[in-house]
Amino acid sequence: MREIFSLLLCCAAACWLAPPRAVAAEGGRGSEARLVAFGDLHGDLFRCRQLLRLANVTDANDRWIAGSSIVVQLGDVADRGRHPHKIYDLFASLEQQAKAAGGEFIFLIGNHELMNLLGEHSYVHPDAMAAFGGAEAYAAAFSPQGPYGSYILQHPVSVVRKGVVFVHAGITPAYAARGVGYINAELTKHFSRERHHTASKDTTNGEEHPFSDSDSPLWSRTILSEAKQGNCSLLRESLRLLSMQEVSAGRLPVHMMVGGHSVQAGGAIAVECNGSLVGADVGLSRSVYLSAGYVAYVELVPDASDPPRLVAQPRYPFGRGVRAPAPSLLGGPVQPPRCTQAVRCPSPAGGGNRELAALPRAGRGNERSGSAGLLAPHYHLLFVLAGLSLVCLVRLRRRRPTGGRHRGVCGH
């Protein structure tokens, strides 16, 4: 036992004597550039921050550490959950930080953002409304002229990066023929100051917003549903038409579409049509899966071809099909993960965890051998070890880099 305590003491001393760990410059300059996308958040701030940290996009203080990487959130931050406005504030900060580091954080508009802009609030969580002082104040904040509505309207419906088109739902051939530029302009032109929307129809002339249609890029599930049945013809046509637009502008042809909107069963990111289509909505929000949802994102990495093409690599920080632990929506205790090889669960017979039951109780073996107990002979080493560990912790906290705070949507 003396050898064990000596080893622990050496570990504490090594921590104390070790030189300061190199800290990346603010913004994560110098880190490897990546292309990452993740799906619908629906007001779950905890899940948003958890995923960004697990994907090595931010640190524990919500600072950008992804360097020159491109990170795309696929829309539907609004509705269902309690804190959509806080997520928008975080996004506003990350956009600034990423730009300063030579990277890019992109938030796309989803159908629930459109619904809020149109004054459709039937999916808004009561706590989200209460944060603004009630339904009327919430509606004003998310109107096209409000701080959050105007922030949303500064963002695109779709973007193309490195030959990959990102969109909330899907781009059918009818929209692909007109190009991403048309799609983005078509949404925002209906929200000028002279044409304020308070419902799903324009109050000035009764014209319905074109993206309220089920085949629009914010709503369409057609391409993904067809692909899951083995029919990739619509996808191929959309990619062909989008490629014509991109190549004519001197950019790479489009070979992949990545979207959210449609929750994938079992938390598994859908990769269809030989990797040309990705469905990345896994139900991150605990307001979708009430106790604990799934955590997953997709990383697009170059393959071994010449020239290399990006291929989709789903990432599951907690394992594929494993619901991730998280505080409950009511602020209760952390939910346990599902039973896996790494986490043993109680036996069906009610005998509890057999591995834990097989362990001796503290001091049992020492009582039989006549020892005064496990810790008594070495209590002085424990005090030294505890003291060194405390000092080590203080030193590590002092080494933590400091970063400037960034203002959110409303300037706080």
Side-chain angles (χ1 to χ4, degrees):
M1 189 57 62
R2 183 177 287 106
E3 290 80 7
I4 295 177
F5 278 96
S6 298
L7 178 61
L8 292 175
L9 184 61
C10 290
C11 291
C15 178
W16 163 254
L17 295 173
R21 180 173 57 89
V23 177
E26 182 178 354
R29 294 183 186 276
S31 61
E32 182 182 358
R34 301 154 61 212
L35 181 54
V36 174
F38 61 102
D40 308 28
L41 289 167
H42 284 301
D44 195 333
L45 178 64
F46 174 87
R47 278 283 185 243
C48 175
R49 298 175 72 189
Q50 182 185 49
L51 182 141
L52 289 171
R53 293 171 191 177
L54 291 170
N56 293 316
V57 173
T58 62
D59 64 12
N61 294 310
D62 297 330
R63 288 188 295 244
W64 177 268
I65 59 171
S68 57
S69 298
I70 300 172
V71 179
V72 183
Q73 197 280 323
L74 297 165
D76 271 12
V77 171
D79 291 344
R80 303 188 190 278
R82 301 166 62 190
H83 303 117
H85 55 292
K86 292 186 178 180
I87 299 177
Y88 292 127
D89 288 341
L90 174 59
F91 283 4
S93 172
L94 291 178
E95 288 164 356
Q96 299 175 40
Q97 296 181 57
K99 184 177 180 180
E104 192 175 13
F105 184 88
I106 303 170
F107 153 61
L108 300 182
I109 296 175
N111 61 298
H112 281 267
E113 274 76 35
L114 177 62
M115 291 165 66
N116 274 257
L117 289 166
L118 295 173
E120 171 54 64
H121 301 139
S122 57
Y123 290 92
V124 178
H125 195 287
D127 288 354
M129 284 193 175
F132 289 85
E136 185 175 348
Y138 178 92
F142 280 85
S143 72
Q145 291 78 37
Y148 287 95
S150 59
Y151 170 77
I152 290 170
L153 284 172
Q154 296 171 24
H155 293 81
V157 174
S158 178
V159 295
V160 178
R161 295 292 185 273
K162 300 183 178 182
V164 179
V165 60
F166 299 89
V167 65
H168 175 64
I171 301 177
T172 60
Y175 280 95
R178 300 187 178 187
V180 168
Y182 165 83
I183 291 172
N184 292 328
E186 186 69 5
L187 183 132
T188 56
K189 79 176 186 180
H190 285 259
F191 290 106
S192 66
R193 292 185 181 276
E194 294 76 24
R195 303 179 67 193
H196 176 62
H197 288 61
T198 58
S200 62
K201 297 196 173 190
D202 190 323
T203 56
T204 58
N205 58 15
E207 179 187 352
E208 186 178 39
H209 193 285
F211 284 0
S212 295
D213 185 80
S214 61
D215 287 331
S216 82
L218 299 185
W219 287 93
S220 179
R221 305 181 196 272
T222 304
I223 287 183
L224 183 57
S225 62
E226 288 288 316
K228 283 181 170 290
Q229 298 175 23
N231 180 10
C232 298
S233 59
L234 283 176
L235 172 68
R236 285 195 293 266
E237 180 63 7
S238 289
L239 295 180
R240 184 187 71 82
L241 293 169
L242 289 169
S243 292
M244 291 175 59
Q245 302 275 342
E246 292 296 300
V247 171
S248 66
R251 295 186 289 266
L252 293 173
V254 180
H255 70 276
M256 186 190 304
M257 185 181 298
V258 178
H261 188 53
S262 299
V263 181
Q264 301 305 302
I269 291 174
V271 181
E272 307 290 343
C273 300
N274 296 320
S276 297
L277 180 63
V278 177
D281 183 5
V282 296
L284 281 166
S285 175
R286 290 166 295 164
S287 294
V288 177
Y289 290 106
L290 294 179
S291 59
Y294 300 98
V295 174
Y297 61 95
V298 61
E299 189 162 356
L300 305 168
V301 299
D303 63 11
S305 63
D306 187 21
R309 283 163 54 101
L310 293 179
V311 295
Q313 295 287 338
R315 308 294 192 198
Y316 305 100
F318 295 97
R320 177 170 175 166
V322 177
R323 291 196 178 185
S328 74
L329 291 174
L330 299 178
V334 174
Q335 299 290 331
R338 291 180 60 184
C339 302
T340 64
Q341 291 182 348
V343 179
R344 300 298 180 90
C345 294
S347 64
N353 191 317
R354 294 179 179 177
E355 291 188 351
L356 291 178
L359 294 175
R361 295 179 182 175
R364 179 182 296 173
N366 295 296
E367 291 170 357
R368 291 179 179 177
S369 63
S371 170
L374 180 64
L375 303 179
H378 307 288
Y379 66 90
H380 56 287
L381 289 178
L382 278 178
F383 286 121
V384 174
L385 180 61
L388 284 174
S389 299
L390 180 61
V391 174
C392 180
L393 178 62
V394 172
R395 282 170 57 89
L396 289 175
R397 287 182 63 85
R398 288 179 178 175
R399 294 172 192 165
R400 180 178 296 172
T402 57
R405 293 186 177 272
H406 298 267
R407 295 184 179 273
V409 174
C410 291
H412 51 73

